Amino acid sequence: MNDRFPIDLKVNGQRYQVDVPVYRTLLDFLRDDLGLTGTKECCVVGECGACTVIVDGRTVNSCLMLAVEADGGEVLTVEGLAAGGRPGPLQRAFLEHGSAQCGFCIPGQLMSAHGLLLENPHPAAAEVHEALAGNLCRCAGYEQITEAVLAAAEEVGG
Amino acid sequence: MQAFAYARPESIPEALALLAEHGSGAHLLAGGTDLVIALRNGSLRPTVVIDLKRVTGLSPAIRREDGHLCLGATTVMRDVERDAEVLRHFPALAEAASWVGSVQIRNRATVVGNICNASPAADTAPPLLVYGAVVLAVGPDGERRIPINDFFVRSRQTTLPAGSLVTGIELPLPAGRMGSAYTRLTRRRGTDLASVTMCAGVDGAGVTRLAYGSVGPRPVLVCDESGVLADPAAPDEVKAPILEEMLAGASPSPRSMRAGPEYRLAMLRVLGRRALQTAIDRLAKGMA
Amino acid sequence: MNAETIGADFPRTGGLSRVTGGQQYVADIKVADALQVKLVHLDCARARILSVDKSAAEAVPGVRFVMTADDLPQPVPRFGPHASDRPVLAAGRVNYHGEFVAAVAAETKEAAEEGARLVKVEYEELPAIFTVDAALAPDAFLVQDPAIRRAGDPLANTNKFAEHRFGWGDVEAAASAADLIVENRYAYPMVTHFAIEPHACVAAPDGDGVVVWSTNQHPFQLQKILAKALGLPLSKVRVIAPDLGGGFGGKQWPNIQPLLAFMALKLGRPVRLVLTLEEVFQQVRRTSAEVRIRTGVKSDGTLVFQDIESNFLVGAYADIADRVVSKGNYLAAGPYRVPAVRIIARGILSNTPPATAMRGFGVPETAWAREMNLDECALALGIDCLEIRLRNLARYQEEFVPGDTPADGRWEQTVRRAAELIDWGKPMPPHCGRGIAVAAKSGPTTGLSYATVRLLGDGSVIVFSGTSDMGQGARTVFAQIAAEEMGVAVDRVSVVMGDTSVVPYDQQTSASRSTVIMGTAVLNACRDIQGQLRSVAAHRYGVDEAAVTVDRGVVRLTGEELSLVEVAKAGLGKMGGEYVGNGIGRKDAVPDHPLQGTAAFFEFNCTAIEVQVDPGTGELTVLRHVTVGDTGKSLNPMQVRGQDDGAAIMGLGHAMMEHYIFDDAGRVRNLGAIDYRIPTSKDLPLELISEQVENGDGPGPYGAKGVSEGSILCVAPALGAAVRDAIGIAIRDLPLSPERVWRAMRDGK
């Protein structure tokens, strides 16, 4: 036991083998150590969802997870949603539907929406509301966000 | 964030040895959704955090065993709310799990963590009480089975002996027909801590169990064996005094920000009647 | 106008980086060598500081500096938009829960946090004032030392920061002619902005000056305040304000920035601070209000007078709250024809977090009282609540506030449309109710915005504007205007904002002004280029300038039409180059006007709500929420909808669940996201309909008016009326929490 711990994980498909301080949250690791600042920090108590990322296929609040807990896992952040630099279907739908206003909550919203579509490719509006209930948007663009998620599901799912 | 040491044992004996070595300075980590907040705001200052997620034998799986369903020490809420066996036999537990925080929280938060924190508002506590769950623990003196009603003391305090850890929760499969329901009162519909929690269970023999929380230092389990509450034909004025007596164990704090004591007590009755009705309806429909 | 550009749903300019995570907000910017700062504050609302012991903090490895008031010039510099009353760091006293007394700069966040925890402040806690009644009690102590009040302020020895009197006609005479007078008291809670981006600031020495990155709606105002506090010329203070993660008024005026600038200059190193959400709640909030209103009507519902006394609880320092009090109350009588009005509006100082601007700027507080009271008049007279509004609503071009801008919209259209969308008058099931309310807010009363537009050699365009884009979509609108005027595609326009060293002056981003005032500046800058190209075309084609017209992107010569870009390219010839246009948008002050200026436009809104009340628990389900605004012309309807939906839901948050909770000693108990609730995706109305009336009658480009605040103005009274319709009881305090509604049903009052 000491205050650093070696971890080996993949972030957006890229492998990292690093020693991290054990007190470092996954959020701080992504933002400060890897420079992936698309993941946002706001409430740091798991209420706002701005820091949402996907770990091993599941959405999590990266502010409530220590980086060491992601050891051996695969992390997907908003930066990993654009394949080859081209925005993915959810991202395009968010643009087309005006879902991003100030944009600060949007990476978290996108990750929750992505997590939902992984499990449920054809959600109903109420299921979108449920899946995104942990992502606060003070611009309150919830309607346009929901529309974008449904449209992206349509596009991808056919 | 404060500094602390981190340990990741691979076996139960190793985890117990760490607990023995560090005593009160050790804190167990399962989902971390409460612990990491406490670590950041300094309300907990452990010397070592023991991560249980890689311990062989503390699996996240939900297992069907002889006569019961067993939740693992690291079973997360999200798996409980969607598990077919839980939904079939213990729907109120699935409902309660589905009300905990957001999807992100439920993907990390464990049922065992929920009861070990022993928050009076813990959503999973009332259904576990109604279903007669047993907490499985292991400590320096070996294994121990603690009926869940003997487990809670008050917020952040349980009867789990020092140096022990919880390895799972056993839910006995109902012997006969049963109807159950969970409901809660919150300040908004999206993720929220409950101001009142309420679970009702009614069985084919006419026994009614109610468990409720967030209205006192610990969740409360009460039982009506007269058959009156479970009787769909019994008039309200006959049920009311029985219900009143069953809810007498509530003593909400006047200091809460979430709701005043008067309102909580009144809502306890409203939710009690509603949960009971849903449980009776489900019993009639054969829905558990 | 080109319908494909103006009035079209263009995806947001800057939207791509918002959906890829590439958008760099202040907290995302890496400034090399920056020290991390953590603030030290006390767990009390008011205290006398006896001593500050830095030694334990300074001993933490990585801690470089612990700044206290002693490290600042003496007396400690004070700043503020209205009065220079707020110290850079608490000077001997703490006057609200969260006022910072020291700041620790360290190499890492962890060291700064540990250092901050170890700064030992000895203090004597003092009683605090956090209600209007306590502040106005005869034996109340003074929240502000008279020495920091403005010189000669006659109220300096009271807790009244200011008292404004507005009105016209003879209220007493009108009262004797009224058939019915209804008097009530209404309260609006203390709520906060809760932008998802917490406030952040980085300050760094920059040659012989300073550069400050700040989450800020008004970079030029911050520049001015910093220059004054630091004693530097404006040219040596550079403010960079990247696009904001939400503002809502909470990022208008400085709080932490002067401290960071002083620290950077003292240390000769960059310093960086991101507030926690809890700290944000302690730095910015909306004014809470207690409004007593007397409404007089004739038996047919015609308003004869309104008599309004508002006490707005402001914080320990004035910030911009006094302007909220005056502007929010100036239209307190509403968008109605009222022969006699008397308004007394006070800002009351208290030991609470500084109240600042917030979406709606004082209007939601007064609209709550006025609209609810008007309904009480209607009900007492047996008049329909829609009818009483239509009867009294100011007609187009009617001067409803004498001496000010007349009604600039056909507001009855808006109201009738909202009524139609909510099925006004249709019977409802039990426990359900409907309510309707209207409100108008003055747009900016003064304004000065400069824009520069560069038409580049390949026909692409860069717009330079000092407006801040905080989500309202100003960038997109400016790109659309430039595209329309230059005759190019919107995606060939870039918009540069948010750097006082790069863009020309803009007064501020507030009061829904930017489409109208900065939009006009952009339009004028484009017209400047059009004028230049008129000469180019005349010269090149050997015709008289008078024979050349430029309309948007098209240049017309006798018998010939050329694209503007074609003419521009031809004019540049082989050498290449570009055209630079400058434009101004302004709204001049009117010195003797009570608000120092008339309204540039009004944001008028009608909100109608259908609600279901759970008779057992008091929980509300908003079945349908209709919000209709008068936008003049919606330049980008998709963005307008985003703003209108968003303001409507924020209004529901205020009306249903948001409020600060104080303990007995004046500490805010529910700081942060766990116990201060805002609406989530599961708290939406089952149906939310936002519509706009567009008659092209606004003063902005293409007939636009400002939007963004309208939909929040009268949500509370529409909901309050709907609840009253459902349960038969008018509740006069907010929020309409389940507990409050239940209590009203139980008590029958």
Side-chain angles (χ1 to χ4, degrees), chain C residues 376-415:
Chain C
E376 302 232 1
C377 294
L379 292 171
L381 294 169
I383 298 175
D384 180 81
C385 294
L386 168 63
E387 192 48 47
I388 200 167
R389 289 180 169 77
L390 289 170
R391 177 177 299 269
N392 291 291
L393 205 59
R395 298 289 170 244
Y396 185 55
Q397 290 302 326
E398 191 173 344
E399 204 176 81
F400 66 107
V401 176
D404 211 303
T405 307
D408 63 351
R410 296 170 201 281
W411 293 341
E412 68 283 0
Q413 281 181 14
T414 305
V415 176

Short mmCIF file of all heavy atoms in Angstrom, two decimals, chain C residues 376-415:
data_model
loop_
_atom_site.label_atom_id
_atom_site.label_comp_id
_atom_site.label_asym_id
_atom_site.label_seq_id
_atom_site.Cartn_x
_atom_site.Cartn_y
_atom_site.Cartn_z
N GLU C 376 -57.30 37.72 -8.12
CA GLU C 376 -58.20 37.81 -6.96
C GLU C 376 -59.30 38.85 -7.23
O GLU C 376 -60.44 38.66 -6.84
CB GLU C 376 -57.42 38.16 -5.70
CG GLU C 376 -56.33 37.13 -5.43
CD GLU C 376 -56.36 36.56 -4.03
OE1 GLU C 376 -57.23 36.93 -3.23
OE2 GLU C 376 -55.49 35.70 -3.76
N CYS C 377 -58.91 39.93 -7.92
CA CYS C 377 -59.92 40.94 -8.31
C CYS C 377 -60.94 40.30 -9.24
O CYS C 377 -62.15 40.45 -9.05
CB CYS C 377 -59.25 42.12 -9.02
SG CYS C 377 -58.16 43.08 -7.98
N ALA C 378 -60.44 39.59 -10.24
CA ALA C 378 -61.34 38.99 -11.23
C ALA C 378 -62.30 38.03 -10.56
O ALA C 378 -63.52 38.07 -10.80
CB ALA C 378 -60.52 38.28 -12.31
N LEU C 379 -61.76 37.18 -9.69
CA LEU C 379 -62.61 36.18 -9.04
C LEU C 379 -63.66 36.84 -8.17
O LEU C 379 -64.82 36.43 -8.15
CB LEU C 379 -61.75 35.22 -8.22
CG LEU C 379 -60.84 34.32 -9.07
CD1 LEU C 379 -59.86 33.56 -8.18
CD2 LEU C 379 -61.66 33.34 -9.90
N ALA C 380 -63.24 37.90 -7.45
CA ALA C 380 -64.20 38.58 -6.57
C ALA C 380 -65.32 39.22 -7.39
O ALA C 380 -66.45 39.33 -6.92
CB ALA C 380 -63.47 39.63 -5.74
N LEU C 381 -64.99 39.65 -8.60
CA LEU C 381 -66.00 40.31 -9.44
C LEU C 381 -66.74 39.33 -10.35
O LEU C 381 -67.64 39.71 -11.07
CB LEU C 381 -65.32 41.38 -10.31
CG LEU C 381 -64.71 42.58 -9.58
CD1 LEU C 381 -63.85 43.40 -10.53
CD2 LEU C 381 -65.82 43.44 -8.98
N GLY C 382 -66.30 38.07 -10.33
CA GLY C 382 -66.92 37.10 -11.22
C GLY C 382 -66.53 37.30 -12.68
O GLY C 382 -67.30 37.00 -13.60
N ILE C 383 -65.35 37.84 -12.89
CA ILE C 383 -64.87 38.06 -14.27
C ILE C 383 -63.83 37.00 -14.59
O ILE C 383 -63.03 36.60 -13.72
CB ILE C 383 -64.24 39.47 -14.39
CG1 ILE C 383 -65.29 40.54 -14.11
CG2 ILE C 383 -63.63 39.69 -15.78
CD1 ILE C 383 -64.74 41.95 -14.09
N ASP C 384 -63.80 36.56 -15.81
CA ASP C 384 -62.84 35.57 -16.25
C ASP C 384 -61.42 36.15 -16.20
O ASP C 384 -61.19 37.31 -16.52
CB ASP C 384 -63.20 35.16 -17.69
CG ASP C 384 -62.25 34.14 -18.23
OD1 ASP C 384 -62.44 32.95 -17.91
OD2 ASP C 384 -61.31 34.52 -18.97
N CYS C 385 -60.45 35.29 -15.79
CA CYS C 385 -59.07 35.78 -15.61
C CYS C 385 -58.40 36.14 -16.93
O CYS C 385 -57.47 36.95 -16.96
CB CYS C 385 -58.25 34.74 -14.84
SG CYS C 385 -58.82 34.53 -13.14
N LEU C 386 -58.81 35.54 -18.01
CA LEU C 386 -58.30 35.94 -19.33
C LEU C 386 -58.93 37.29 -19.72
O LEU C 386 -58.24 38.21 -20.17
CB LEU C 386 -58.65 34.87 -20.37
CG LEU C 386 -58.47 35.25 -21.84
CD1 LEU C 386 -57.00 35.53 -22.15
CD2 LEU C 386 -59.00 34.13 -22.75
N GLU C 387 -60.21 37.38 -19.49
CA GLU C 387 -60.96 38.58 -19.87
C GLU C 387 -60.40 39.84 -19.19
O GLU C 387 -60.23 40.88 -19.83
CB GLU C 387 -62.43 38.35 -19.47
CG GLU C 387 -63.41 39.35 -20.02
CD GLU C 387 -63.24 39.59 -21.52
OE1 GLU C 387 -63.11 38.59 -22.26
OE2 GLU C 387 -63.20 40.76 -21.94
N ILE C 388 -60.09 39.72 -17.90
CA ILE C 388 -59.62 40.91 -17.17
C ILE C 388 -58.28 41.39 -17.73
O ILE C 388 -57.98 42.58 -17.76
CB ILE C 388 -59.58 40.67 -15.64
CG1 ILE C 388 -59.59 42.01 -14.90
CG2 ILE C 388 -58.35 39.85 -15.23
CD1 ILE C 388 -59.85 41.91 -13.41
N ARG C 389 -57.50 40.45 -18.23
CA ARG C 389 -56.19 40.83 -18.81
C ARG C 389 -56.40 41.50 -20.17
O ARG C 389 -55.81 42.54 -20.45
CB ARG C 389 -55.28 39.61 -18.92
CG ARG C 389 -54.82 39.18 -17.55
CD ARG C 389 -53.91 37.98 -17.50
NE ARG C 389 -53.36 37.88 -16.14
CZ ARG C 389 -54.02 37.42 -15.09
NH1 ARG C 389 -55.26 36.96 -15.22
NH2 ARG C 389 -53.46 37.41 -13.89
N LEU C 390 -57.25 40.92 -20.99
CA LEU C 390 -57.49 41.51 -22.31
C LEU C 390 -58.10 42.91 -22.17
O LEU C 390 -57.79 43.81 -22.93
CB LEU C 390 -58.41 40.60 -23.13
CG LEU C 390 -57.75 39.30 -23.61
CD1 LEU C 390 -58.79 38.35 -24.20
CD2 LEU C 390 -56.65 39.58 -24.64
N ARG C 391 -58.93 43.06 -21.17
CA ARG C 391 -59.60 44.35 -20.97
C ARG C 391 -58.58 45.46 -20.64
O ARG C 391 -58.73 46.60 -21.06
CB ARG C 391 -60.61 44.22 -19.82
CG ARG C 391 -61.32 45.52 -19.46
CD ARG C 391 -62.35 45.28 -18.37
NE ARG C 391 -63.37 44.33 -18.81
CZ ARG C 391 -64.51 44.67 -19.40
NH1 ARG C 391 -64.78 45.95 -19.62
NH2 ARG C 391 -65.39 43.77 -19.76
N ASN C 392 -57.57 45.11 -19.89
CA ASN C 392 -56.65 46.14 -19.40
C ASN C 392 -55.32 46.23 -20.14
O ASN C 392 -54.54 47.15 -19.92
CB ASN C 392 -56.36 45.89 -17.91
CG ASN C 392 -57.58 46.15 -17.05
OD1 ASN C 392 -58.00 47.30 -16.91
ND2 ASN C 392 -58.17 45.09 -16.52
N LEU C 393 -55.05 45.26 -20.98
CA LEU C 393 -53.77 45.20 -21.67
C LEU C 393 -53.54 46.45 -22.53
O LEU C 393 -54.45 46.90 -23.22
CB LEU C 393 -53.78 43.96 -22.58
CG LEU C 393 -52.45 43.33 -22.97
CD1 LEU C 393 -51.68 42.89 -21.73
CD2 LEU C 393 -52.73 42.12 -23.86
N ALA C 394 -52.32 46.97 -22.48
CA ALA C 394 -52.00 48.14 -23.31
C ALA C 394 -52.09 47.74 -24.78
O ALA C 394 -51.64 46.66 -25.17
CB ALA C 394 -50.60 48.63 -22.98
N ARG C 395 -52.67 48.61 -25.58
CA ARG C 395 -52.78 48.35 -27.01
C ARG C 395 -51.50 48.81 -27.70
O ARG C 395 -50.73 49.60 -27.15
CB ARG C 395 -53.98 49.11 -27.60
CG ARG C 395 -55.31 48.68 -27.01
CD ARG C 395 -55.73 47.28 -27.47
NE ARG C 395 -56.87 46.79 -26.70
CZ ARG C 395 -56.85 45.74 -25.90
NH1 ARG C 395 -55.77 45.03 -25.73
NH2 ARG C 395 -57.93 45.37 -25.23
N TYR C 396 -51.34 48.35 -28.93
CA TYR C 396 -50.15 48.69 -29.71
C TYR C 396 -49.95 50.20 -29.75
O TYR C 396 -50.90 50.93 -30.07
CB TYR C 396 -50.28 48.10 -31.12
CG TYR C 396 -49.07 48.29 -31.99
CD1 TYR C 396 -47.81 47.84 -31.57
CD2 TYR C 396 -49.17 48.91 -33.23
CE1 TYR C 396 -46.69 48.02 -32.37
CE2 TYR C 396 -48.05 49.08 -34.04
CZ TYR C 396 -46.81 48.63 -33.60
OH TYR C 396 -45.71 48.81 -34.38
N GLN C 397 -48.77 50.64 -29.43
CA GLN C 397 -48.37 52.05 -29.44
C GLN C 397 -48.98 52.86 -28.31
O GLN C 397 -48.87 54.09 -28.30
CB GLN C 397 -48.67 52.70 -30.81
CG GLN C 397 -47.77 52.20 -31.93
CD GLN C 397 -46.27 52.43 -31.63
OE1 GLN C 397 -45.89 53.40 -31.01
NE2 GLN C 397 -45.41 51.48 -32.03
N GLU C 398 -49.62 52.21 -27.37
CA GLU C 398 -50.15 52.93 -26.23
C GLU C 398 -49.03 53.16 -25.22
O GLU C 398 -48.27 52.25 -24.92
CB GLU C 398 -51.28 52.11 -25.59
CG GLU C 398 -52.08 52.86 -24.57
CD GLU C 398 -53.30 52.07 -24.08
OE1 GLU C 398 -53.69 51.08 -24.75
OE2 GLU C 398 -53.85 52.44 -23.04
N GLU C 399 -48.95 54.38 -24.70
CA GLU C 399 -47.89 54.72 -23.73
C GLU C 399 -48.36 54.28 -22.35
O GLU C 399 -49.01 55.03 -21.64
CB GLU C 399 -47.65 56.23 -23.78
CG GLU C 399 -46.27 56.62 -23.33
CD GLU C 399 -46.04 58.12 -23.49
OE1 GLU C 399 -46.48 58.88 -22.61
OE2 GLU C 399 -45.43 58.51 -24.50
N PHE C 400 -48.07 53.06 -22.00
CA PHE C 400 -48.63 52.53 -20.74
C PHE C 400 -47.85 52.97 -19.53
O PHE C 400 -48.35 52.93 -18.41
CB PHE C 400 -48.80 51.01 -20.81
CG PHE C 400 -47.52 50.23 -20.91
CD1 PHE C 400 -47.04 49.52 -19.83
CD2 PHE C 400 -46.79 50.21 -22.10
CE1 PHE C 400 -45.87 48.79 -19.92
CE2 PHE C 400 -45.60 49.50 -22.19
CZ PHE C 400 -45.14 48.78 -21.10
N VAL C 401 -46.58 53.36 -19.71
CA VAL C 401 -45.86 54.07 -18.65
C VAL C 401 -45.60 55.47 -19.22
O VAL C 401 -44.86 55.60 -20.20
CB VAL C 401 -44.52 53.39 -18.31
CG1 VAL C 401 -43.75 54.23 -17.28
CG2 VAL C 401 -44.76 51.99 -17.77
N PRO C 402 -46.24 56.47 -18.64
CA PRO C 402 -46.13 57.81 -19.23
C PRO C 402 -44.66 58.22 -19.41
O PRO C 402 -43.85 58.05 -18.51
CB PRO C 402 -46.83 58.71 -18.21
CG PRO C 402 -47.79 57.80 -17.49
CD PRO C 402 -47.13 56.46 -17.46
N GLY C 403 -44.36 58.71 -20.59
CA GLY C 403 -43.01 59.20 -20.86
C GLY C 403 -42.05 58.13 -21.34
O GLY C 403 -40.90 58.42 -21.66
N ASP C 404 -42.51 56.88 -21.38
CA ASP C 404 -41.59 55.83 -21.82
C ASP C 404 -42.03 55.29 -23.18
O ASP C 404 -43.03 55.72 -23.75
CB ASP C 404 -41.51 54.71 -20.77
CG ASP C 404 -40.14 54.04 -20.77
OD1 ASP C 404 -39.73 53.53 -21.84
OD2 ASP C 404 -39.47 54.05 -19.73
N THR C 405 -41.25 54.35 -23.67
CA THR C 405 -41.55 53.71 -24.96
C THR C 405 -42.97 53.14 -24.93
O THR C 405 -43.33 52.43 -23.98
CB THR C 405 -40.55 52.57 -25.20
OG1 THR C 405 -39.24 53.11 -25.05
CG2 THR C 405 -40.72 51.95 -26.56
N PRO C 406 -43.79 53.43 -25.91
CA PRO C 406 -45.13 52.85 -25.94
C PRO C 406 -45.08 51.34 -26.20
O PRO C 406 -44.04 50.82 -26.64
CB PRO C 406 -45.81 53.56 -27.10
CG PRO C 406 -44.83 54.48 -27.71
CD PRO C 406 -43.50 54.29 -27.05
N ALA C 407 -46.19 50.69 -25.93
CA ALA C 407 -46.29 49.25 -26.19
C ALA C 407 -45.83 48.98 -27.62
O ALA C 407 -46.33 49.59 -28.56
CB ALA C 407 -47.72 48.78 -25.98
N ASP C 408 -44.87 48.08 -27.77
CA ASP C 408 -44.26 47.91 -29.08
C ASP C 408 -44.70 46.61 -29.74
O ASP C 408 -44.04 46.12 -30.64
CB ASP C 408 -42.73 47.99 -28.98
CG ASP C 408 -42.14 46.88 -28.12
OD1 ASP C 408 -42.92 46.16 -27.45
OD2 ASP C 408 -40.90 46.73 -28.10
N GLY C 409 -45.80 46.06 -29.27
CA GLY C 409 -46.29 44.84 -29.89
C GLY C 409 -47.80 44.75 -29.78
O GLY C 409 -48.43 45.47 -28.99
N ARG C 410 -48.34 43.89 -30.60
CA ARG C 410 -49.79 43.65 -30.52
C ARG C 410 -49.99 42.51 -29.51
O ARG C 410 -50.15 41.36 -29.86
CB ARG C 410 -50.33 43.30 -31.91
CG ARG C 410 -50.15 44.49 -32.85
CD ARG C 410 -50.41 44.16 -34.31
NE ARG C 410 -49.75 45.14 -35.16
CZ ARG C 410 -50.23 46.37 -35.41
NH1 ARG C 410 -51.38 46.74 -34.91
NH2 ARG C 410 -49.55 47.20 -36.16
N TRP C 411 -49.94 42.93 -28.25
CA TRP C 411 -49.84 41.95 -27.17
C TRP C 411 -51.07 41.09 -27.03
O TRP C 411 -51.00 39.97 -26.55
CB TRP C 411 -49.49 42.68 -25.87
CG TRP C 411 -48.09 43.29 -25.91
CD1 TRP C 411 -47.09 42.96 -26.76
CD2 TRP C 411 -47.58 44.32 -25.07
NE1 TRP C 411 -45.97 43.72 -26.50
CE2 TRP C 411 -46.25 44.57 -25.47
CE3 TRP C 411 -48.12 45.07 -24.01
CZ2 TRP C 411 -45.45 45.53 -24.84
CZ3 TRP C 411 -47.31 46.02 -23.38
CH2 TRP C 411 -45.99 46.24 -23.80
N GLU C 412 -52.24 41.65 -27.42
CA GLU C 412 -53.45 40.84 -27.29
C GLU C 412 -53.37 39.59 -28.17
O GLU C 412 -53.91 38.54 -27.83
CB GLU C 412 -54.70 41.68 -27.60
CG GLU C 412 -54.88 42.15 -29.04
CD GLU C 412 -53.98 43.34 -29.40
OE1 GLU C 412 -53.21 43.81 -28.54
OE2 GLU C 412 -54.04 43.78 -30.57
N GLN C 413 -52.63 39.68 -29.28
CA GLN C 413 -52.44 38.48 -30.13
C GLN C 413 -51.73 37.38 -29.34
O GLN C 413 -52.09 36.22 -29.42
CB GLN C 413 -51.55 38.81 -31.34
CG GLN C 413 -52.22 39.52 -32.46
CD GLN C 413 -51.24 39.76 -33.63
OE1 GLN C 413 -50.15 39.19 -33.68
NE2 GLN C 413 -51.62 40.64 -34.53
N THR C 414 -50.71 37.80 -28.62
CA THR C 414 -49.93 36.86 -27.81
C THR C 414 -50.82 36.19 -26.77
O THR C 414 -50.79 34.97 -26.59
CB THR C 414 -48.77 37.63 -27.12
OG1 THR C 414 -48.04 38.30 -28.13
CG2 THR C 414 -47.87 36.70 -26.36
N VAL C 415 -51.61 37.01 -26.10
CA VAL C 415 -52.46 36.49 -25.02
C VAL C 415 -53.54 35.56 -25.60
O VAL C 415 -53.78 34.46 -25.08
CB VAL C 415 -53.10 37.65 -24.23
CG1 VAL C 415 -54.06 37.12 -23.18
CG2 VAL C 415 -52.00 38.50 -23.59
#
